[in-house]
Amino acid sequence: MLRENTWRAKLFDLTLLIVLLLIAFLCLLPLWYTLAVSLSEKSAAAAGRVWLWPVGLNFNSYKQIMGDGSFFNSFWISIQRVVLGASVTFFITTLMAYPLSRSTKEFRMRNVCMWILVFTLLFNGGLIPWYMTIKELGLYDTIWGLVLGGGVPVFNVILIVNFFRNLPKELDEAALVDGAGPWRMLLTLYIPLAVPVLATVTLFTIVYHWNEFFHGLVLTSGQENYPLQTLIQQFVVVINTANMTEDQYKRMSELSNQTLNAAKIFIAMVPVLIIYPFLQRFFIHGITLGSVKE
Amino acid sequence: MRNQSFTKHYYIMLLPGFIWLLLISIIPMFGIVIAFQDFNPGKGFFQSEWVGLDNFEYMFALNDTPVIFFNTVFIAVMKMIGNLIVPLIFAIMLNELRMMIVKRWIQTIVYLPHFLSWVILSGILLDVFSYTGPINTVMTFIGLDPILFFARADLFPFIIVASDVWKEFGFNTIIYLAALTSINPSLYEAAAIDGAARLRRMWHVTLPGLRTTIVLLAVLSLGNVLNAGFDQIFNLYNPLVYSTGDIIDTWVYREGLLNMQYGLATAVGLLKSVVSFILIIVSYQLASRFANYRIF
């Protein structure tokens, strides 16, 4: 790159740096604010006196959550959902991606299967038929409804397929000469080589299952089966405002327990914040590699 | 020989995935018959009474229908524009930054909101924009009247679009940044020798270098004209802002699952699916013609 050392160039660089840092700061600000509110005194938060630092630092909200059985119950459901969802999805999508990465010469039905897969991405039956189907299958109110209800993550399959297709053909031939069948080829050759893309899609799946709230709402009958995001959605975010006037709405938002809600929201963010560094390491690499076609 | 014996194993590998696909994605496609029935869950798909196009006629007679279609398209198109331009500007700015470590830190921070759910972010936004929240505190401080942001139908679509752009702009820069690495550095040197200053080089080298990517992203986003973002609106709206904030997906949810108007809700959902399908096909056609894009 070119370097200029005039004062104008330096001013340009400095302005740029400040603007970019401000924008980055703007992305963190709401999260930081939530943490500050969760650690503040109730009255200070309600009066709007909390900014970037807790006012009257205390851990009462977190202590209160410790004694909240339904919060822990939902947390546990979310953990189960993430573990089952990530492993089932990993197993099925990897297995699917291998035959779909073959050429039509090796696997004649490859393109037909691929088009069926892509078609489900382009067209769907809509909410009501989907809901009726899940009910008919007996998945309503079970953990499997939450694990499988989102359907096959077609984009992930396509990412893995494209990655597999970009691996050198010579590897394939060498393994073939050694007498390896499709299963050995997948297990000992393709999976180890595809770690970047597999890690990417698995981390995406984990985040998806942790964040998803809507299936938790419509596929379960009540609070005792809600995953964490649904619980928070129902008791923190959505306030029943039907037939409320503006004044009632105002009073209602003043009455809500801000510090406790902020603490719940923050706890629900923590797992994503923990896996985020790992996620970040992989996803740029994984996405750009997987989306390039040969 | 090899091909035949392997093919059997290929089918076995595909089986679990295709069973999943069949159960959750393909069977519901047949469920769209509900749109042509007076559906009664007790009777099921086969026994429910067929009513032809009654549900569609009723849909077009409803006052809600034009409103939710307008709101959906309005919010979705504004999001498409915002999510195309803001990441572009940000990526070009980031590309000019010479300090690699700072650059990496900024990237890490701006990607983060993409990975947080709308439940979480809505909880935060409702608090930040609440009557006693920080935004209103600032407004009072500088002498303005506080505003009940989420009770104002005139502001609602703009809050939705702005918060969505805020959440996604960082993540959307990834694709631009990848494209920027493929611009030949000698172009910048040549421009500099010709006497072009930094801003001119950004205009005459960087921007043209991104042209294909911009066109491709614009074309591919066409398929989202009827996707205004269910998760976000569902968590932020309330009856006070239905007039500008209610979209097809939220309406289908309320009419279909809460008010149990199965036939009507399925009909609206089907209309949305069909229009989206056509838009996606058209956009992929355009993308493959102009940018040589193929999905697989």
Side-chain angles (χ1 to χ4, degrees):
Chain A
M1 270 274 151
L2 302 158
R3 289 207 166 269
E4 282 146 273
N5 280 318
T6 61
W7 65 271
R8 280 186 62 172
K10 280 182 183 151
L11 188 69
F12 184 94
D13 279 334
L14 189 67
T15 320
L16 189 73
L17 180 70
I18 292 170
V19 172
L20 287 171
L21 285 177
L22 276 177
I23 295 173
F25 183 64
L26 202 65
C27 285
L28 276 188
L29 199 57
L31 316 186
W32 183 258
Y33 167 77
T34 307
L35 181 62
V37 169
S38 76
L39 294 170
S40 293
E41 232 163 51
K42 248 168 130 173
S43 55
R49 287 195 285 118
V50 180
W51 282 90
L52 292 178
W53 212 250
V55 178
L57 179 76
N58 69 79
F59 296 90
N60 290 344
S61 316
Y62 291 93
K63 279 181 203 145
Q64 210 175 328
I65 292 173
M66 287 298 151
D68 184 348
S70 66
F71 188 86
F72 274 98
N73 178 47
S74 291
F75 199 93
W76 175 234
I77 292 171
S78 282
I79 298 280
Q80 283 174 289
R81 178 182 183 177
V82 165
V83 171
L84 286 173
S87 21
V88 168
T89 308
F90 177 84
F91 176 74
I92 293 181
T93 51
T94 314
L95 217 52
M96 268 183 117
Y98 180 75
L100 294 175
S101 69
R102 304 298 85 196
S103 66
T104 31
K105 224 165 58 193
E106 285 171 87
F107 181 35
R108 258 184 338 117
M109 297 302 280
R110 187 251 170 194
N111 279 352
V112 177
C113 293
M114 207 66 191
W115 277 116
I116 295 173
L117 207 60
V118 172
F119 183 72
T120 65
L121 203 63
L122 307 182
F123 187 78
N124 63 73
L127 178 65
I128 309 296
W130 168 81
Y131 174 77
M132 296 292 168
T133 312
I134 302 266
K135 273 206 142 171
E136 286 297 309
L137 291 171
L139 294 175
Y140 186 80
D141 241 351
T142 66
I143 189 82
W144 292 105
L146 300 178
V147 168
L148 300 172
V152 179
V154 178
F155 266 118
N156 292 358
V157 177
I158 293 174
L159 277 180
I160 307 172
V161 168
N162 285 337
F163 192 94
F164 280 174
R165 271 157 73 95
N166 284 339
L167 294 174
K169 294 271 171 294
E170 292 75 18
L171 283 172
D172 239 60
E173 279 151 25
L176 209 60
V177 172
D178 289 345
W183 296 92
R184 277 244 337 255
M185 208 106 94
L186 175 64
L187 284 177
T188 59
L189 197 64
Y190 277 76
I191 291 182
L193 285 173
V195 167
V197 77
L198 294 176
T200 308
V201 296
T202 302
L203 288 165
F204 280 159
T205 314
I206 291 174
V207 173
Y208 165 77
H209 277 295
W210 182 261
N211 281 344
E212 207 284 331
F213 79 97
F214 185 64
H215 297 174
L217 180 63
V218 296
L219 299 183
T220 58
S221 57
Q223 200 188 328
E224 62 278 4
N225 290 323
Y226 281 167
L228 188 59
Q229 300 275 340
T230 311
L231 189 80
I232 290 178
Q233 198 266 339
Q234 284 293 291
F235 295 100
V236 176
V237 179
V238 166
I239 28 182
N240 187 14
T241 48
N243 308 319
M244 253 189 209
T245 63
E246 270 200 38
D247 272 343
Q248 287 170 314
Y249 182 79
K250 194 161 106 190
R251 211 150 5 117
M252 168 104 201
S253 55
E254 282 165 359
L255 278 176
S256 70
N257 191 341
Q258 273 176 310
T259 53
L260 183 63
N261 289 349
K264 286 181 177 169
I265 287 173
F266 195 77
I267 293 180
M269 257 192 297
V270 167
V272 176
L273 297 178
I274 291 173
I275 66 160
Y276 181 66
F278 301 98
L279 187 71
Q280 221 251 330
R281 235 184 75 206
F282 281 118
F283 69 74
I284 300 173
H285 196 51
I287 290 172
T288 32
L289 285 175
S291 53
V292 178
K293 314 150 294 277
E294 39 174 343
Chain B
M1 19 159 280
R2 170 197 161 191
N3 282 355
Q4 269 86 43
S5 63
F6 279 16
T7 305
K8 192 178 73 199
H9 293 286
Y10 292 156
Y11 282 122
I12 296 171
M13 287 173 167
L14 285 173
L15 194 63
F18 270 81
I19 291 175
W20 192 6
L21 199 70
L22 179 76
L23 294 180
I24 305 294
S25 302
I26 296 176
I27 292 179
M29 287 183 197
F30 296 98
I32 55 181
V33 294
I34 297 174
F36 307 95
Q37 289 179 333
D38 177 18
F39 183 72
N40 178 339
K43 291 181 185 165
F45 298 139
F46 302 105
Q47 258 84 50
S48 289
E49 196 190 332
W50 290 89
V51 292
L53 293 175
D54 281 10
N55 287 321
F56 290 89
E57 274 169 32
Y58 184 57
M59 169 176 99
F60 286 114
L62 274 180
N63 290 332
D64 282 352
T65 313
V67 176
I68 58 168
F69 270 84
F70 176 80
N71 291 344
T72 306
V73 173
F74 182 68
I75 293 173
V77 169
M78 287 212 303
K79 277 186 181 179
M80 280 158 54
I81 297 170
N83 284 327
L84 197 68
I85 292 171
V86 175
L88 173 68
I89 296 170
F90 189 74
I92 291 176
M93 282 165 64
L94 205 58
N95 191 50
E96 291 294 317
L97 195 65
R98 304 293 161 79
M99 288 166 270
M100 283 305 149
I101 298 170
V102 182
K103 187 174 168 181
R104 207 159 303 141
W105 270 98
I106 291 175
Q107 279 175 284
T108 305
I109 293 169
V110 298
Y111 296 157
L112 180 63
H114 171 80
F115 294 98
L116 298 171
S117 73
W118 271 119
V119 171
I120 300 291
L121 293 178
S122 301
I124 297 177
L125 279 176
L126 289 169
D127 198 15
V128 170
F129 284 93
S130 73
Y131 200 66
T132 55
I135 304 276
N136 271 322
T137 314
V138 174
M139 296 199 22
T140 327
F141 186 74
I142 58 174
L144 295 168
D145 284 332
I147 298 176
L148 257 179
F149 286 98
F150 285 99
R152 286 275 296 271
D154 54 336
L155 296 178
F156 189 75
F158 300 98
I159 298 177
I160 290 294
V161 173
S163 54
D164 187 64
V165 171
W166 170 79
K167 182 180 193 277
E168 302 297 340
F169 83 92
F171 196 74
N172 288 335
T173 53
I174 293 178
I175 206 136
Y176 286 122
L177 289 172
L180 281 169
T181 57
S182 65
I183 297 178
N184 189 342
S186 60
L187 289 175
Y188 288 100
E189 279 156 30
I193 290 164
D194 288 346
R198 284 280 274 289
L199 283 173
R200 305 220 80 185
R201 294 202 293 264
M202 284 157 77
W203 184 258
H204 287 293
V205 180
T206 314
L207 214 52
L210 289 174
R211 198 165 45 202
T212 327
T213 313
I214 299 169
V215 171
L216 185 64
L217 290 177
V219 165
L220 290 180
S221 72
L222 275 182
N224 283 326
V225 168
L226 293 184
N227 282 328
F230 174 83
D231 282 10
Q232 180 192 15
I233 292 177
F234 185 68
N235 283 310
L236 288 172
Y237 81 159
N238 64 68
L240 296 172
V241 296
Y242 278 179
S243 61
T244 60
D246 199 15
I247 56 166
I248 300 172
D249 294 332
T250 49
W251 188 89
V252 166
Y253 167 75
R254 287 202 318 278
E255 285 307 308
L257 291 186
L258 299 186
N259 300 339
M260 292 187 260
Q261 298 257 29
Y262 298 115
L264 179 64
T266 310
V268 176
L270 176 61
L271 186 64
K272 186 199 157 190
S273 292
V274 170
V275 175
S276 294
F277 179 72
I278 295 169
L279 286 171
I280 297 172
I281 296 294
V282 170
S283 68
Y284 275 54
Q285 284 288 335
L286 289 172
S288 73
R289 189 167 310 162
F290 294 117
N292 221 353
Y293 175 84
R294 280 183 302 138
I295 187 165
F296 63 86

